[in-house]
Amino acid sequence: MRMILRKQVTALMLCTLMVFSVTFTLALPTAQAGTVNDVGKQLEKVYDQLVLDAGGKNDVAAAQVKLANLNRDPNSAPWPDVFAILLTDQVMTRLGGEVAAKNKIIDFVCDLAAVQYSANKGDLRKNMEKFKKKHASTVTALFGSDFTIDYLYDYLQAAKEEVPNVITNDVSGLIALASGDYRQIRNSVKGWLRDALTKAATGQYSLFENKLGALGWSIDKLTDAKDLVSAQVDPGYAGEIALMKAYVRSETHFLKDEKQWDHNINMKAGNTLPLKLSIFGFPLAGYVLHWKVDDISAATVNDSTKTLTAVTKGKTKLQAYLNNPDTDWVYQGTVHVTGGGGGSIK
């Protein structure tokens, strides 16, 4: 049962990220400046976590450099394959003909990827503002003026609520998660993303799917086109996976007294604390992940009972992780131990 829960937690984390990353930026040109600023603040939390992962940060930076040098000649890879997916008759009509549509698709996709592969908070804000200003007319031509950020947020929230059901019903996908291989997991997530967005696209939320359909597009096609560019600039999707991990970490919180805590945990020597963690609001995550500390003279963890015990005055790093604490940690904080106390803390 615990292994199944761990697989579901992993899947929920990654699928939630992809639900937002594939569709969110499309609405940026219709967002007010204040909305973009608020979104920027939320996304900056991701980069606060990315800087803690030196290897992941380097992977994102490498993808950014390759993207900047990507050949934008319509006849060069990957553009003919991208056009085979996105250059429909409807798109050519709305964007001023085949030549103009090809150039706009190249600029649109590259600038969208630049937002995704921003290497730090400054780059993120710069790339978001650039995309908003440069592509407002393109997005309006494609989707119309009624495609707003508020509508998209509500739709994505509805899709998020569908994710647990989609994951639970995919037994083969859950089995694939046992490997802990993010590249393999990513393939399963693409299917869950499609199913969650499709299930949510009913009633008042049918607008987005209808807009895509009117262009001859779909969620699958958007994802496939994005992957063609990623394959050129981010081999093995190392940068994308690093951002996935950073996003997960930014949405992970230690729970103390059933409340979200920061990354500094204060305890008195002799006290014991249950290791509780919330990931995207899933409150049982602490029970299905592994835990460790760096300095057992200050505090110890019992990974079986999921408890943390303060030993003597000092401090130590505390980590929760999936399989390998060096590469797939989900949470890390610092335990500060002061003078003696004794007893358990709920």
Side-chain angles (χ1 to χ4, degrees), residues 56-118:
K57 184 179 179 181
N58 289 338
D59 288 333
V60 174
Q64 186 183 53
V65 171
K66 289 183 179 180
L67 178 63
N69 294 322
L70 184 64
N71 193 330
R72 298 198 180 195
D73 181 343
N75 296 314
S76 299
W79 303 119
D81 291 333
V82 171
F83 297 147
I85 297 172
L86 299 182
L87 189 66
T88 63
D89 290 340
Q90 301 94 313
V91 169
M92 286 189 284
T93 297
R94 298 189 187 194
L95 295 184
E98 180 177 351
V99 174
K102 284 183 175 180
N103 289 328
K104 288 180 180 179
I105 286 174
I106 290 174
D107 286 346
F108 184 91
V109 171
C110 284
D111 291 344
L112 186 62
V115 174
Q116 176 182 1
Y117 288 113
S118 298

Side-chain angles (χ1 to χ4, degrees), residues 107-219:
D107 286 346
F108 184 91
V109 171
C110 284
D111 291 344
L112 186 62
V115 174
Q116 176 182 1
Y117 288 113
S118 298
N120 55 59
K121 292 189 287 190
D123 283 344
L124 174 68
R125 284 191 171 273
K126 179 185 69 177
N127 291 331
M128 287 176 65
E129 286 296 336
K130 176 182 177 181
F131 189 93
K132 180 178 184 293
K133 293 177 181 178
K134 184 175 179 180
H135 298 288
S137 60
T138 298
V139 171
T140 299
L142 290 173
F143 295 100
S145 59
D146 57 338
F147 184 67
T148 66
I149 193 74
D150 294 327
Y151 164 81
L152 186 63
Y153 274 149
D154 291 342
Y155 169 52
L156 293 180
Q157 183 60 43
K160 279 179 62 178
E161 293 173 359
E162 293 289 348
V163 168
N165 294 329
V166 169
I167 293 173
T168 301
N169 292 330
D170 183 7
V171 177
S172 61
L174 285 173
I175 292 174
L177 290 175
S179 66
D181 184 337
Y182 273 83
R183 289 167 180 79
Q184 184 177 358
I185 291 169
R186 183 182 177 279
N187 291 332
S188 295
V189 168
K190 287 174 64 177
W192 295 327
L193 165 68
R194 177 196 63 233
D195 292 344
L197 289 169
T198 300
K199 286 179 176 292
T202 58
Q204 62 177 318
Y205 299 124
S206 61
L207 176 65
F208 184 53
E209 191 171 63
N210 292 340
K211 294 282 188 182
L212 291 178
L215 296 171
W217 290 0
S218 66
I219 290 295

